[in-house]
Amino acid sequence: NMGSEQKNKWEDKVLKPALQRTPERLSEFKTASNISVKRLYTPEDAPVSDYDKNLGYPGQYPFTRGVQPTMYRGRLWTMRQYAGFGTAEESNRRYKYLLEQGQTGLSVAFDLPTQMGYDSDHPLANGEVGKVGVSISSLRDMELLLADIPLDRVSTSMTINATAAILLAFYVAVARNRGIEDEKLSGTVQNDVLKEYIARGTYIYPVAPSMRISGDIITYCAEHLPHWNPISISGYHIREAGSTAVQELAFTLANALAYLREVLARGIPVDSFAPRLAFFFNAHSDFFEEIAKYRAARRLWARIMQEEFGAQNQHSMMMRFHTQTAGSTLTAQQPENNVVRVTLQALSAALGGTQSLHTNSLDEALALPTERSARIALRTQQIIAYESGVASTVDPLAGSYYVEMLTNEIEAGAQDYLRRIDEIGGTLEAIQSGFQQDEIQNAAFQWQSDVDAGERIIVGVNRFQAEGEARTDLLRIDPSMQAGQVQSLRRLREERDAQVVEQMLERLRNAAACKDNLLPCIIACVQGLATLGEISDTLRSVFGTYQERHKI
């Protein structure tokens, strides 16, 4: 073998003297997820002999190189900046601003009460209304939020989980009131409640009824909202909680399999709903590892769908995903450095073939983004898209010995986790026993220990610190806003037909107690002006709430 002969010669004659002159900086190099990185990668590390089987061509199985044959030459990824705060009117102004700046899709952040199924006048909502997102309690709020937005032309992503069915119902009702047909609507509800139990915490009901509601949304959309993504299975929050890239991919796919089985158990054929399943990943800082993760994700999903679920439709095997840069990597110290972090993370998402992208703003470690910082974040995507040249060819890093090796390693690592979860008895069993939670905690602890020991350098935090002045131009939410929300809710309750609301909620209670799809009832409730809290309370009365397992 000529290659290894040459390599031995190189090691002997060139490498050894160089190492004597300049020893390497670290005894061991590893990716952010602790995959060992060798000094040099050659064709031996990533033989492309199985090119057709492992890489193939973009737009066809196994989709390693992308889900579209021409990728960004035909159409760029959707630039979808996540936004929402305060009142529906304030958020509506920000959406119009972002659309004017060239954003191509909407992405709505909701406040905690809305995520947890409480109206803005509920005692538990006090102090949280409009804080981390927009406050939506009724159809009227939703109408203000979407005022003047052409719902038949703009796609809207809503980051909502436990109350996803209600927010989707609000959206459908607003469109119907404007004479827009259901089938013209496009967008996404996150609707991924499993990752709430694993990593995030905004769950309401126990696991079984939560899975049922997720499944109801998927089946309802398959029938009535053909352009809607009824779920966005999210690795993002798993990664934010401290997981590795391999865990992010594995636990996201394990959750996806649980949703697939939930819907298949209803006797619905896989190819009738799987094409609309969407995914959501994190773009972290280890540049090549992240690119490899996206490529491995597509390949692994395609293989699982074809081999395990017998999918025939190419679209069922095609993993489409949204990416967001990593909030957890943003630093409050020297926040302008975050512009550089976000740029590299966004670049990895573009090189990894994402369908849609949100870039975080430089001030997000301190507050919600100001208009100016939100614009810089959007401009970051536009510069990558229009100035860097990375969108000119499909999957430009394919064939890099290092990237192909990492793609293989990440896929193998994720498959290993999927096997372990199967041995426990599947995703739901594993969550109940705390398997994913413990794995993430251990990874997060390991990472923090490495940072504390100075083995991992965070610029401006544990190296290159600077005495800086505090930022003053931060976005602040006006505390008097809550009173206004509560007042408009009181007005709604006085003006609506209380008897109609009571009848609608009673119908919902009955549907929840048997096996009916809940979506038609929920849509009828919101059209009758029932509030988010009333609908959630009705379901709580039937399903109860989830109590987390506590370790001693």
Side-chain angles (χ1 to χ4, degrees):
N1 182 338
M2 274 310 288
S4 46
E5 204 177 303
Q6 295 296 344
K7 192 176 171 191
N8 294 342
K9 232 187 242 173
W10 170 77
E11 283 177 350
D12 209 36
K13 298 270 190 303
V14 181
L15 177 63
K16 263 193 197 138
L19 285 173
Q20 279 157 359
R21 278 196 308 277
T22 327
E24 291 181 333
R25 289 182 294 117
L26 303 172
S27 57
E28 186 199 0
F29 287 79
K30 49 188 187 177
T31 67
S33 301
N34 293 317
I35 294 173
S36 280
V37 181
K38 292 183 2 184
R39 177 180 300 119
L40 182 71
Y41 290 89
T42 68
E44 291 168 19
D45 296 290
V48 267
S49 51
D50 285 339
Y51 180 87
D52 290 334
K53 184 166 146 277
N54 289 330
L55 293 173
Y57 292 87
Q60 73 180 37
Y61 188 87
F63 299 104
T64 315
R65 302 204 61 188
V67 293
Q68 303 298 340
T70 61
M71 282 308 286
Y72 307 136
R73 291 167 67 108
R75 201 176 118 219
L76 289 166
W77 62 88
T78 303
M79 297 180 193
R80 193 186 292 284
Q81 294 299 96
Y82 185 45
F85 54 90
T87 63
E89 294 97 326
E90 274 182 285
S91 292
N92 177 265
R93 275 197 294 277
R94 175 67 64 93
Y95 297 150
K96 287 176 186 160
Y97 171 78
L98 286 165
L99 290 168
E100 275 159 27
Q101 299 300 318
Q103 169 168 307
T104 48
L106 291 185
S107 178
V108 183
F110 298 97
D111 69 2
L112 278 175
T114 306
Q115 294 179 49
M116 298 296 290
Y118 297 116
D119 288 332
S120 49
D121 60 354
H122 191 285
L124 284 176
N126 195 17
E128 286 295 341
V129 176
K131 271 266 178 72
V132 298
V134 63
S135 165
I136 301 288
S137 300
S138 71
L139 181 57
R140 288 190 184 168
D141 290 337
M142 200 67 166
E143 279 170 337
L144 293 170
L145 183 74
L146 300 170
D148 311 313
I149 305 236
L151 301 186
D152 44 359
R153 291 208 306 279
V154 169
S155 72
T156 304
S157 164
M158 297 191 277
T159 301
I160 196 75
N161 295 288
T163 54
I166 305 172
L167 272 301
L168 178 58
F170 284 148
Y171 197 89
V172 167
V174 169
R176 285 181 186 175
N177 288 348
R178 291 189 200 170
I180 299 170
E181 292 141 30
D182 292 6
E183 43 274 10
K184 291 236 168 72
L185 300 177
S186 65
T188 305
V189 273
Q190 194 160 85
N191 185 30
D192 172 9
V193 76
L194 292 177
K195 64 94 177 43
E196 297 297 333
Y197 302 112
I198 293 173
R200 196 164 164 268
T202 65
Y203 43 72
I204 300 176
Y205 317 108
V207 177
S210 292
M211 286 298 285
R212 170 190 167 181
I213 298 171
S214 286
D216 282 355
I217 294 173
I218 295 169
T219 47
Y220 184 85
C221 289
E223 215 173 312
H224 303 283
L225 296 165
H227 299 297
W228 197 270
N229 299 320
I231 193 164
S232 171
I233 305 142
S234 303
Y236 184 84
H237 314 85
I238 291 171
R239 193 66 180 280
E240 288 292 282
S243 82
T244 64
V246 172
Q247 289 168 346
E248 177 190 355
L249 174 53
F251 298 163
T252 304
L253 289 182
N255 289 349
L257 300 182
Y259 296 117
L260 266 171
R261 294 191 174 111
E262 166 73 27
V263 179
L264 290 171
R266 304 175 181 210
I268 293 168
V270 70
D271 285 323
S272 68
F273 70 93
R276 292 305 322 165
L277 302 178
F279 290 82
F280 173 27
F281 291 113
N282 202 312
H284 230 263
S285 290
D286 194 316
F287 191 70
F288 292 112
E289 179 170 66
E290 293 300 285
I291 294 162
K293 178 186 76 185
Y294 307 125
R295 298 172 81 250
R298 278 193 295 271
R299 184 162 73 199
L300 188 47
W301 178 245
R303 286 177 171 166
I304 288 171
M305 290 307 286
Q306 192 184 63
E307 292 163 20
E308 279 184 47
F309 292 92
Q312 303 287 308
N313 183 343
Q314 288 287 300
H315 290 274
S316 300
M317 307 169 206
M318 194 185 281
M319 177 190 268
R320 296 168 304 117
F321 61 89
H322 170 71
T323 309
Q324 177 174 338
T325 58
S328 60
T329 64
L330 300 179
T331 61
Q333 300 89 333
Q334 304 170 37
E336 43 293 318
N337 295 346
N338 293 329
V339 175
V340 182
R341 290 188 176 100
V342 167
T343 304
L344 288 168
Q345 293 165 1
L347 184 58
S348 75
L351 289 167
T354 192
Q355 277 54 70
S356 122
L357 181 60
H358 162 92
T359 29
N360 291 332
S361 297
L362 66 107
D363 46 5
E364 286 190 57
L366 300 157
L368 288 168
T370 61
E371 258 188 23
R372 176 177 171 271
S373 66
R375 188 178 66 231
I376 293 171
L378 176 60
R379 293 288 179 261
T380 302
Q381 294 203 40
Q382 291 162 334
I383 290 166
I384 291 171
Y386 296 104
E387 295 184 21
S388 74
V390 300
S392 305
T393 187
V394 178
D395 190 25
L397 284 178
S400 146
Y401 310 127
Y402 179 44
V403 170
E404 296 299 357
M405 185 282 311
L406 274 177
T407 304
N408 296 341
E409 292 256 327
I410 290 170
E411 183 181 28
Q415 280 170 317
D416 195 50
Y417 264 120
L418 289 173
R419 267 195 300 276
R420 287 167 70 186
I421 289 170
D422 262 352
E423 283 159 17
I424 295 170
T427 309
L428 303 183
E429 284 294 313
I431 289 172
Q432 309 267 22
S433 75
F435 171 71
Q436 293 94 322
Q437 298 92 312
D438 292 345
E439 288 290 307
I440 294 167
Q441 254 172 344
N442 294 341
F445 180 78
Q446 179 64 54
W447 173 268
Q448 196 53 53
S449 307
D450 287 351
V451 171
D452 293 345
E455 305 218 338
R456 294 211 180 263
I457 291 165
I458 311 290
V459 172
V461 177
N462 64 354
R463 275 279 278 285
F464 315 113
Q465 295 99 327
E467 297 308 312
E469 66 297 341
R471 303 272 305 215
T472 47
D473 55 337
L474 297 176
L475 182 76
R476 296 276 173 239
I477 305 298
D478 179 1
S480 67
M481 188 224 79
Q482 182 173 338
Q485 288 297 94
V486 169
Q487 227 169 347
S488 66
L489 201 50
R490 211 160 280 159
R491 224 176 15 253
L492 169 87
R493 290 205 172 103
E494 282 161 13
E495 291 167 6
R496 68 186 186 178
D497 187 331
Q499 214 176 345
V500 168
V501 172
E502 205 29 69
Q503 283 166 347
M504 293 297 175
L505 293 172
E506 189 52 41
R507 269 181 51 198
L508 176 63
R509 194 176 289 115
N510 296 334
C514 55
K515 286 273 181 273
D516 299 357
N517 191 310
L518 296 175
L519 261 293
C521 273
I522 293 175
I523 293 171
C525 285
V526 308
Q527 287 176 316
L529 297 181
T531 68
L532 171 113
E534 290 162 345
I535 295 167
S536 300
D537 283 343
T538 302
L539 295 177
R540 270 186 265 257
S541 73
V542 180
F543 296 147
T545 55
Y546 178 74
Q547 302 303 319
E548 192 170 11
R549 119 207 127 98
H550 286 292
K551 287 200 295 193
I552 307 305

